[in-house]
């Protein structure tokens, strides 16, 4: 079964490249970036072979631990995991989980992220190859660590997807995820305080980091290799055994989560997902009886009920929180970093719509068959998002300025936020009609990336990020001038930012609507792949 799944993964990847020339372009760019990463980081790790063990050991343990944590946590807030071999497709074949999980695990290594992680892990093993026996332990530990990382990404996303299907637990899941991320701050604070002691204390810093990370589940395997290189064989074998137990536990959690969500029937047909967009009072009744109002009404229901939208909304809340708390945990209690709250929330919220149409799946067929104008479609999606995102941006902007004690910068911050939000809506309105990419289907794992879409997703997100930033540069420049030299320039930034925000939204609705009118069949084909 394992060999069958590996052949299936390779076949699907090959067929995906044949589907479109852009898939080949995205794959080539991904390969070039992967080669650059392996050449630079890998060379640095191999060079540690000639460094002192009290330097090489902590570096390998620290980077390995962070790699496992990254695999486990990053798919929950960005990119997702590559589900080229979707486990839900095996539901009707009654494949035992004891065969399915190992096959899916090894299939997860067939791809650029898995290959890069494995190569860098082996480079770390080379850094600790101080003897033949130590080399053998380091190679085994590198493989175990890589498998744990890949399994952790599948376990966390599959378990979170199963949890989000129960509406009563969604808010709890978001809250717990945010708390766990915030709890990382004390570790960063400790690291920053030790760095402040100077480079002369680097060895002590490394030993402390290795001592802590080496006795945590993500760090067992890497610390075992370091112990073997140092000749501490009792501790090395103990940690290697613990690493194997951690891998078995992660695989067990993954198998259990698959039993609840991945290998059973798709959960998209339940009563919760088939509710009609009837009016129930409140905001929905106040939307206009126009095509754009109908689209906005349906999108608002998505923002309230669809786990995929809930994950996007949680990312809006968690990412700014993470970026703002970390400077405080590093010892900077001036509050100046809170000035970034408004612009950062504005950027993330506006940018979050850049592939909104793909989330419609078969519902977008109604837009095509009913002849909904592209401009009405664009306007409805922007309106639904703006109804809750604009107040959120306003609160973040005002609160950030007040907490930082820089009320004089409020006009400049408001201008930058308006420009970023408007640019995000404008770019999203064009991008989702010009270059949509498949997303997780309704009822599926909201943290997964459909077959062959991982590289295209990364490329589209990079391009739209750069576009939004470039369009908002005048307002950002005014903010910088107000921050460093003349606060009165913030009023100019407010006028420029508000004007740019309105301009980019208008251009996005008109240009994006025209593109959608011309490319509706192609967009529908992408949405149907989701």
């Amino acid at each position: 079964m394992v060999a069958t799944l590996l052949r299936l993964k390779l076949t699907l990847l090959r067929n995906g490249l044949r589907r479109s020339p852009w898939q080949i372009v995205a794959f080539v760019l991904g390969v070039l970036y992967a080669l650059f990463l392996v050449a630079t980081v890998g060379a640095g790790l191999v060079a540690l072979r000639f460094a002192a063990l009290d330097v090489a050991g902590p570096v390998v343990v620290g980077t390995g631990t962070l790699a496992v944590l990254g695999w486990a946590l990053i798919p929950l807030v960005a990119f997702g995991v590559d589900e080229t071999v979707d486990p839900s497709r095996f539901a009707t074949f009654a494949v035992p989980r004891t065969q399915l999980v190992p096959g899916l695990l090894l299939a997860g290594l067939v791809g650029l992220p898995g290959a890069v992680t494995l190569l860098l892990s082996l480079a770390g093993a080379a850094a600790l190859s101080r003897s033949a026996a130590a080399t053998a332990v380091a190679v085994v530990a590198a493989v175990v660590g890589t498998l744990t990382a890949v399994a952790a990404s599948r376990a966390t996303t599959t378990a979170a997807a199963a949890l989000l299907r129960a509406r009563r637990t969604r808010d709890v899941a978001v809250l717990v995820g945010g708390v766990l991320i915030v709890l990382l701050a004390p570790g960063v604070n400790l690291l920053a305080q030790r760095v402040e002691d100077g480079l002369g204390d680097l060895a002590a810093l490394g030993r402390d980091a290795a001592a802590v990370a080496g006795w945590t589940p993500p760090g067992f395997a890497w610390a075992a290799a370091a112990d073997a290189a140092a000749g501490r064989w009792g501790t090395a074998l103990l940690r290697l055994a613990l690493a194997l137990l951690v891998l078995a536990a992660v695989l067990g959690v993954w198998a259990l989560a698959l039993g609840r969500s991945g290998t059973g029937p798709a959960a998209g047909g339940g009563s919760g997902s088939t509710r009609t967009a009837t009016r129930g009072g409140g905001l929905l009744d106040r939307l206009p009886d126009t095509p754009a109002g109908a689209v906005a009404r349906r999108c608002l229901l998505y923002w309230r009920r669809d786990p995929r939208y809930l994950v996007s909304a949680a990312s809006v809340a968690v990412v700014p929180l993470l970026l703002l708390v970390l400077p405080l945990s590093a010892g900077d209690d001036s509050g100046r970093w809170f000035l970034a709250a408004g612009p950062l929330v504005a950027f993330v919220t506006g940018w979050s719509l850049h592939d909104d149409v793909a989330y419609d799946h078969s519902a977008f067929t109604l837009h095509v068959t009913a002849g909904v104008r592209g401009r009405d479609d664009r306007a409805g999606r922007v309106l639904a998002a703006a109804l809750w995102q604009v107040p959120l941006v306003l609160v973040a902007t005002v609160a950030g300025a007040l907490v930082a004690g820089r009320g004089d910068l409020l006009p400049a911050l408001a201008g930058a936020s308006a420009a970023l939000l408007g640019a995000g809506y404008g770019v999203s309105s064009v991008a989702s009609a010009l270059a949509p990419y498949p997303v997780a289907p309704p009822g599926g794992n909201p943290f997964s990336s459909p077959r062959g879409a991982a590289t295209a997703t990364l490329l589209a997100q990079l391009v739209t990020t750069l576009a939004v930033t470039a369009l908002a540069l005048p307002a950002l420049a005014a903010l910088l001038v107000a921050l460093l030299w003349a606060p009165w320039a913030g009023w100019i930034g407010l006028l420029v930012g508000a004007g740019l925000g309105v301009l980019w939204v208008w251009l996005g609705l008109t240009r994006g609507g025209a593109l959608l009118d011309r490319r509706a069949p192609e967009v529908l084909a992408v949405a149907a792949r989701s």
Side-chain angles (χ1 to χ4, degrees):
M1 188 62 190
V2 173
T4 301
L5 289 174
L6 289 176
R7 286 196 299 269
L8 177 61
K9 177 69 177 283
L10 292 172
T11 301
L12 291 173
L13 289 177
R14 182 176 64 251
N15 292 341
L17 294 177
R18 294 175 177 175
R19 185 178 297 114
S20 168
W22 289 109
Q23 291 280 357
I24 299 177
V25 173
F27 179 75
V28 171
L29 292 176
V31 170
L32 293 176
Y33 177 75
L35 291 176
F36 172 78
L37 190 64
V38 170
T40 54
V41 180
L45 290 173
V46 173
L48 290 175
R49 171 65 178 79
F50 307 100
L53 191 58
D54 60 349
V55 174
V59 170
V60 173
V61 173
T63 55
T65 303
L66 291 176
V68 176
L69 291 175
W71 270 87
L73 298 179
I74 290 178
L76 296 176
V77 295
F79 307 127
V81 294
D82 182 14
E83 292 287 12
T84 302
V85 183
D86 188 354
S88 63
R89 301 299 178 91
F90 299 92
T92 58
F93 296 99
V95 179
R97 278 177 284 173
T98 54
Q99 299 180 19
L100 184 62
V101 169
L104 293 176
L105 175 63
L106 294 181
L109 293 175
V110 181
L112 293 180
V116 169
T117 302
L118 180 59
L119 291 175
L120 293 180
S121 298
L122 294 177
L128 300 176
S129 58
R130 305 307 167 99
S131 66
T135 301
V137 172
V139 170
V140 173
V143 174
V144 172
T146 302
L147 293 177
T148 302
V150 176
S153 69
R154 267 58 178 180
T156 54
T157 54
T158 305
L163 187 64
L164 286 173
R165 286 195 175 100
R167 291 191 63 188
R168 294 180 180 179
T169 61
R170 290 172 184 167
D171 295 337
V172 177
V174 172
L175 177 62
V176 171
V179 171
L180 290 177
I181 291 177
V182 173
L183 288 179
L184 293 175
V188 178
N189 185 26
L190 175 63
L191 179 62
Q193 291 176 357
R194 297 306 304 272
V195 170
E196 289 177 358
D197 294 337
L199 293 178
D201 201 32
L202 184 60
L205 172 64
R207 287 192 296 269
D208 290 346
V212 174
W215 288 109
T216 61
F220 283 145
W222 320 103
D227 287 332
R232 298 187 292 267
W233 290 104
T235 308
L237 294 178
L238 173 62
R239 281 172 160 160
L240 188 58
L242 291 174
L244 292 171
L245 289 176
V246 168
L247 176 58
V250 173
L251 292 176
V253 171
W254 184 17
L256 180 62
L258 281 176
R260 293 185 176 182
S261 62
T263 58
S271 60
S273 61
T274 57
R275 297 178 184 176
T276 58
T278 57
R279 300 188 178 192
L283 181 61
L284 295 182
D285 273 344
R286 294 182 173 86
L287 293 173
D289 289 322
T290 61
V295 174
R297 191 175 295 115
R298 179 170 60 82
C299 290
L300 277 177
L301 292 175
Y302 285 177
W303 281 109
R304 288 170 48 190
R305 298 175 179 172
D306 195 322
R308 301 170 301 169
Y309 280 80
L310 292 176
V311 170
S312 178
S315 300
V316 171
V318 170
V319 173
L321 182 65
L322 177 64
L323 295 179
L324 294 175
V325 168
L326 286 180
L328 295 178
S329 66
D332 186 356
D333 57 355
S334 63
R336 57 182 179 177
W337 291 101
F338 282 98
L339 292 173
L344 183 59
V345 172
F347 171 82
V348 176
T349 50
W351 176 85
S352 65
L353 299 182
H354 72 276
D355 197 37
D356 189 67
V357 68
Y359 287 95
D360 282 11
H361 193 51
S362 59
F364 189 69
T365 306
L366 297 177
H367 292 225
V368 179
T369 56
V372 176
R373 292 192 310 164
R375 183 168 182 172
D376 291 329
D377 176 274
R378 309 287 86 183
R381 296 177 191 276
V382 170
L383 176 60
L387 285 174
W388 68 272
Q389 291 177 354
V390 169
L392 179 63
V393 171
L394 287 174
V395 170
T397 302
V398 175
L402 295 180
V403 171
R406 294 298 305 270
D408 57 322
L409 291 178
L410 187 56
L413 292 171
S417 298
L420 286 168
L421 186 63
Y425 288 155
V427 170
S428 297
S429 298
V430 173
S432 61
L434 181 62
Y437 54 87
V439 296
N445 187 340
F447 304 104
S448 65
S449 177
R451 172 168 57 93
T455 306
T457 299
L458 180 61
L459 185 60
Q461 292 180 356
L462 175 62
V463 172
T464 51
T465 297
L466 295 176
V468 171
T469 305
L471 293 180
L473 275 180
L476 295 176
L479 173 60
L480 184 62
V481 171
L483 178 64
L484 298 180
W485 294 292
W488 57 265
W491 293 102
I492 300 177
L494 177 60
L495 295 176
V496 172
L500 286 177
V502 173
L503 175 63
W504 299 141
V505 171
W506 178 77
L507 287 176
L509 296 182
T510 54
R511 301 297 184 183
L515 280 172
L516 189 61
D517 289 334
R518 295 198 302 268
R519 303 190 71 254
E522 291 84 353
V523 174
L524 177 59
V526 175
R529 285 181 55 201
S530 298

